[in-house]
Structure formats: structure tokens, C-alpha cells
Amino acid sequence: MVKFRNVAVLLAVICATAASCSKKDVTSITVSPENLLLEIGQTFTLKATVLPANATFPATTWSSDNPDVVSVRDSVVSALAPGSATILVTADGFFATCAVTVKPIPEPEPEPEPEPEPEPDPDPTPEPEPDPTPEPEPQPEPQPEPEPEPEPEPQPDFLYI
């Protein structure tokens, strides 16, 4: 068995015998979305796509040209202040950009002022208190009794001639 003192030489020997060890250069990088609108305090995760998918050095680096307005760390964009910034993502010498606009948080609509309650009368007239004794219910007026009809005079049962 041969001992290798240099790891690079070992890798070169292994790659020389295997076709899969050839270097794959990055051919392009894209970022999605290319334009972004945020409000102060919001965050958003951008997506970078490096081609070919099996590139040897696909690692990405993120930066903001206006870090006071927009910061970026590992593809996560944070809106810090109103304004605009360009996010730059690079991989093996290729780059893509995303334009970010940060708008201020809208002011909440003021709540309408409540209607003032009417001022109490400084010298109120007290309302009369109800009489504690109930009033008697009105009684119908008495109607006179009708007079009885007179009885007819009795007729004799026989007739005189």
C-alpha cells in the first residue's frame, strides 16, 4: 500500500480514475422575486437558483447596497426604514439582483371622538312623585230598572149575553 502525504495528490489520483470528479462551473444564478415591496418591520426570504444544480461551487453570498433601509442575511431580507435598496446575490462570479422598496407603515385612521354627554341642568325641577294610593277605578253609573209592563185584565171564561 502506498502512503500519500499530500491530500490534494490523493484527490487528483481518485478524480483521474472517476468521471464524476470533473469540475462543474456555475453557468448562471437567478433570484426570485426580482422586485419586492415591504413595510417597515416585515421580512421576506428570497430564493436563489444556481445552475447547473450540481455546480462545484454553488455557495451564495448576499449583500444590500443600502443596509440602513434593507438588511439581508442568508437570503432573509428585513425592511428597516422607508426607501429602496438592491439585494445582490453572487455565486462563483455570477450575480443576480432584487430591487426592494420599503414603504412606511400606514398611519391608523383616528377614531371618531365620542359625542359629549349633555350637561346636567344646574337647577333641575324635580318631577312630581306618584301618589302612593291608587285611584279607584271608575264605576259605571247605575241604570234605572225598567218599569214592568202592566198585566192585562183577566177575561172571564164565559160570555154573558
Side-chain angles (χ1 to χ4, degrees):
M1 177 173 200
V2 179
K3 289 187 175 183
F4 290 97
R5 296 175 193 240
N6 189 341
V7 176
V9 174
L10 176 60
L11 291 175
V13 170
I14 294 172
C15 286
T17 59
S20 65
C21 287
S22 62
K23 181 179 175 196
K24 304 272 190 211
D25 289 333
V26 171
T27 58
S28 69
I29 185 170
T30 58
V31 65
S32 178
E34 292 179 350
N35 295 289
L36 186 59
L37 176 65
L38 298 173
E39 287 183 357
I40 295 172
Q42 289 183 318
T43 61
F44 188 86
T45 302
L46 297 172
K47 179 174 176 30
T49 304
V50 176
L51 293 178
N54 62 347
T56 304
F57 300 106
T60 56
T61 304
W62 298 85
S63 63
S64 169
D65 73 343
N66 194 350
D68 292 333
V69 173
V70 176
S71 68
V72 62
R73 182 174 184 197
D74 296 327
S75 78
V76 178
V77 176
S78 298
L80 306 175
S84 60
T86 300
I87 301 300
L88 177 71
V89 58
T90 61
D92 198 23
F94 288 83
F95 70 91
T97 60
C98 173
V100 181
T101 302
V102 179
K103 62 181 184 175
I105 298 172
E107 293 291 325
E109 292 286 326
E111 291 191 26
E113 293 186 26
E115 301 238 356
E117 293 197 21
E119 296 273 331
D121 191 1
D123 202 22
T125 307
E127 291 188 25
E129 291 189 26
D131 191 9
T133 58
E135 290 186 23
E137 290 187 29
Q139 298 293 326
E141 291 186 25
Q143 297 289 329
E145 286 191 32
E147 291 187 20
E149 288 189 30
E151 286 190 31
E153 287 189 25
Q155 296 288 329
D157 288 341
F158 55 91
L159 185 58
Y160 287 104
I161 317 196

